[in-house]
Each structure stands twice: as structure tokens, then as C-alpha cells.
Amino acid sequence: MKPADQIESVAIIGNGLMGQGISQVFARAGKRVTLIGRSAASLEKALDTIRGNFGAFVERGLTPADKASAAIARIFTSTDIGDAAGADHVIEAVPAVRETQVEVFGKLDSICADDIVLGSTSGQPISLMTGRMKHPERAVAMHFIYPAQLIPIVEICGGPQTAPHVVTWACDVMTAVGQTPALMNKEVDGFIINRLQFAVLREAWSMWANGIASAEAIDNSFKLSLGRRYAVTGPIESAELGGLDIMNKFAEFLLPDLDTSSSPPSAVSSLVKEGNFGLKSGRGVYDWHSRDGKALLAARADKLFQHMKDDAAKG
């Protein structure tokens, strides 16, 4: 394999939202990208989205217009997975269907040179995807977070068969393209971020389902306190700034009362069974007919862009 800071090309398998965002990360970093999808029509739609995403970077002064145009020109499309063979690095970003992922890694293993690192951005243990590989030692989880072009952290996790130098190389590649690797020492379902996300979501859903507080009160309580704090200090840092002795004592009191359910509340499951999926269907816990979901998405994007500007200012 090439040194991490010298790779020139990457192939992305899957042209959905994650594949689009990952393509933008590498293209913006000066790499040639081959985005591989199922159809020419879907690939053209993906390129339209990528162009729009770069436009948002230009509007906010994060990427000059000429550099954005050059980055877009570095993204090529294909419907042939065989075109991944010439890339210095390959990342799988297909839908999280286990049989599909196993099939993709089996194909990549047969068409890519033995020293090419194969990454997966599914956020699932890489060991679940290597069943048809002759060289599972070069497979590693590289979990980007949606939206990949705006969230700088990438979870890196090898499996029992992954070579240690492959994990190190994956971390170095992420650093080289401006991302921050979060190195995991061993596999666990959901990885770091989803486990934290669903620990919070379980308690939030539980409080709403049990009538403890409204969805608005729960969301505002998080956004206007923990949400602001956690942008600067993580949960473990926050606990130690507040005093580990104090937080440990409070945990002894509170943890026994927190929700430990192994399934979502029936109130949430009932909404799903009735076709109420949230913003995309118009109703979920909230009635989205009376809320401006597009404005909320735009506000979230603006905040993420601001974080990117702050990161850039820090160097």
C-alpha cells in the first residue's frame, strides 16, 4: 500500500447520501474519486447533490469557487465495481444489508491488489463482512457520520483478523484528508457514536412515552444545556470538570432509575406501525405539518458549517 499521505485515488462503492459525502471529503482533499453506483441516472442525481453541497461550501467561504470546481471535476462515476481495481483505497458505502456487504467485499477482494485497504462506513463490525474474503486482514471499519462532508470525525475499528498496520494506515489516511480518526480498541455493535446516541434516545423516548415531559420540553432541555456543553467537552470530560466524586455519587443514586429497556417504547413502535415516520411522512412524535422541518434542517446545517469554520480557524 502507498503511504497514507501519498494516496492519489479512492473508489467509493455506493452513491447514496454517505457515498456522496465521503466523495466530497476526498475530492476536496485533492484526491481522484470514482463513485460507483447501480445506475447512470442515480449517479447523475448524486453528482447534482455533490455540486449543491460544494456550492454551500463556496457560499460560506469554506472553499473558493475555483477549488470547488476542480474538486467536482475530480469525481468520476461508474456502474462497474471493477473500476475500483485501480484505486489506492476503496470504501464500501452500500445499504446496510449484510448479504450485500459480504458480496461487495468478496468482489473487491478478488479485483483489488492484495495490499489495497478495503474500508466500510456502515458502522457495523467489519468481521461480519469478510466471509468471502481471502485477505480479511486488509478490511477495516471506517465509519463516517452523516453528513460526512460536515462531520469531521471517523470511527476506525479493526476486526480480529485485521492487520494492526491497516488500522494505523486508515487513521493516517483520515488525518491526511482533514478528518479526525476515533480509534477503537475492539469491535462493539454500533461503535461509539451510535451507542451514545441511542443511550440518550432511549431515555428521551422513555420520558416522553411515560408522560414525564413533552417532546418539546425534552428536546429543549437537551439543546439548551447538554447540547451546548458537549460541543466543547465530551461526557467524560464534563464529569471530571464537575468532579468525579460528585458525579459518581449521583450515578449511584440515578442509574438504577434510568430506562434499561431492550426495545423501543410501545408508543414509538405504534407510531412506526401506523406509518408515522417523522418528518418524511409528516407525523411522528411531532406533527410536522405544523412545524417547519426544512428550516430546522437548514439551521442544523448552518450550525455544522459554523463548527467547520471554527475548526478551520484553529488550524
Side-chain angles (χ1 to χ4, degrees):
M1 65 183 71
K2 288 184 178 180
D5 60 353
Q6 295 179 25
I7 68 166
E8 299 173 350
S9 61
V10 61
I12 311 296
I13 314 301
N15 63 324
L17 293 176
M18 290 306 298
Q20 295 164 18
I22 296 169
S23 294
Q24 185 173 341
V25 168
F26 280 96
R28 190 166 178 251
K31 313 303 178 184
R32 184 184 188 277
V33 177
T34 301
L35 182 60
I36 299 174
R38 291 185 175 180
S39 71
S42 68
L43 285 163
E44 185 54 41
K45 289 182 179 179
L47 281 178
D48 284 341
T49 300
I50 291 170
R51 293 184 190 105
N53 289 341
F54 268 111
F57 273 66
V58 172
E59 290 172 8
R60 290 167 172 82
L62 285 166
T63 303
D66 59 337
K67 290 188 176 181
S69 296
I72 293 169
R74 285 191 287 269
I75 302 176
F76 301 84
T77 62
S78 172
T79 57
D80 183 2
I81 194 173
D83 286 338
D88 297 328
H89 179 34
V90 183
I91 296 179
E92 167 269 318
V94 302
V97 177
R98 188 61 39 74
E99 180 57 30
T100 301
Q101 293 169 317
V102 171
E103 179 182 0
V104 166
F105 272 92
K107 288 180 178 179
L108 292 173
D109 193 50
S110 66
I111 65 177
C112 297
D114 294 350
D115 64 341
I116 298 300
V117 172
L118 307 179
S120 171
T121 192
S122 68
Q124 301 176 57
I126 193 66
S127 59
L128 300 176
M129 306 172 203
T130 58
R132 299 182 191 174
M133 294 182 67
K134 292 182 179 179
H135 300 286
E137 69 278 359
R138 42 102 163 252
V140 60
M142 302 174 69
H143 184 215
F144 287 75
I145 311 302
Y146 176 80
Q149 73 274 14
L150 295 179
I151 302 294
I153 198 156
V154 180
E155 296 171 315
I156 306 294
C157 186
Q161 295 177 291
T162 306
H165 73 274
V166 167
V167 176
T168 300
W169 186 89
C171 288
D172 291 344
V173 165
M174 290 297 94
T175 300
V177 298
Q179 300 295 99
T180 299
L183 175 62
M184 296 179 61
N185 298 324
K186 59 182 179 180
E187 291 185 323
V188 62
D189 289 343
F191 293 4
I192 301 168
I193 293 167
N194 273 326
R195 291 179 77 90
L196 291 173
Q197 176 177 238
F198 277 87
V200 171
L201 185 56
R202 177 169 60 184
E203 189 61 33
W205 273 346
S206 176
M207 288 191 288
W208 169 77
N210 286 291
I212 293 171
S214 68
E216 291 89 346
I218 294 167
D219 282 337
N220 284 334
S221 293
F222 193 94
K223 289 187 292 186
L224 299 178
S225 63
L226 297 176
R228 295 186 178 186
R229 183 188 300 166
Y230 286 170
V232 181
T233 58
I236 297 176
E237 287 176 324
S238 294
E240 302 217 343
L241 289 177
L244 194 57
D245 54 336
I246 297 171
M247 296 302 288
N248 180 71
K249 190 66 177 179
F250 202 80
E252 290 177 346
F253 156 73
L254 185 58
L255 289 181
D257 195 52
L258 294 182
D259 191 287
T260 59
S261 301
S262 58
S263 60
S266 59
V268 172
S269 296
S270 293
L271 286 171
V272 173
K273 290 177 182 177
E274 294 165 3
N276 296 312
F277 305 143
L279 177 59
K280 63 183 178 181
S281 68
R283 172 72 195 279
V285 173
Y286 287 107
D287 179 359
W288 289 97
H289 295 103
S290 60
R291 305 185 91 218
D292 192 341
K294 289 184 178 180
L296 190 58
L297 286 170
R300 185 175 70 175
D302 285 341
K303 182 62 69 173
L304 293 176
F305 273 114
Q306 185 59 53
H307 283 306
M308 288 198 76
K309 288 183 179 181
D310 293 343
D311 291 342
K314 294 175 184 176

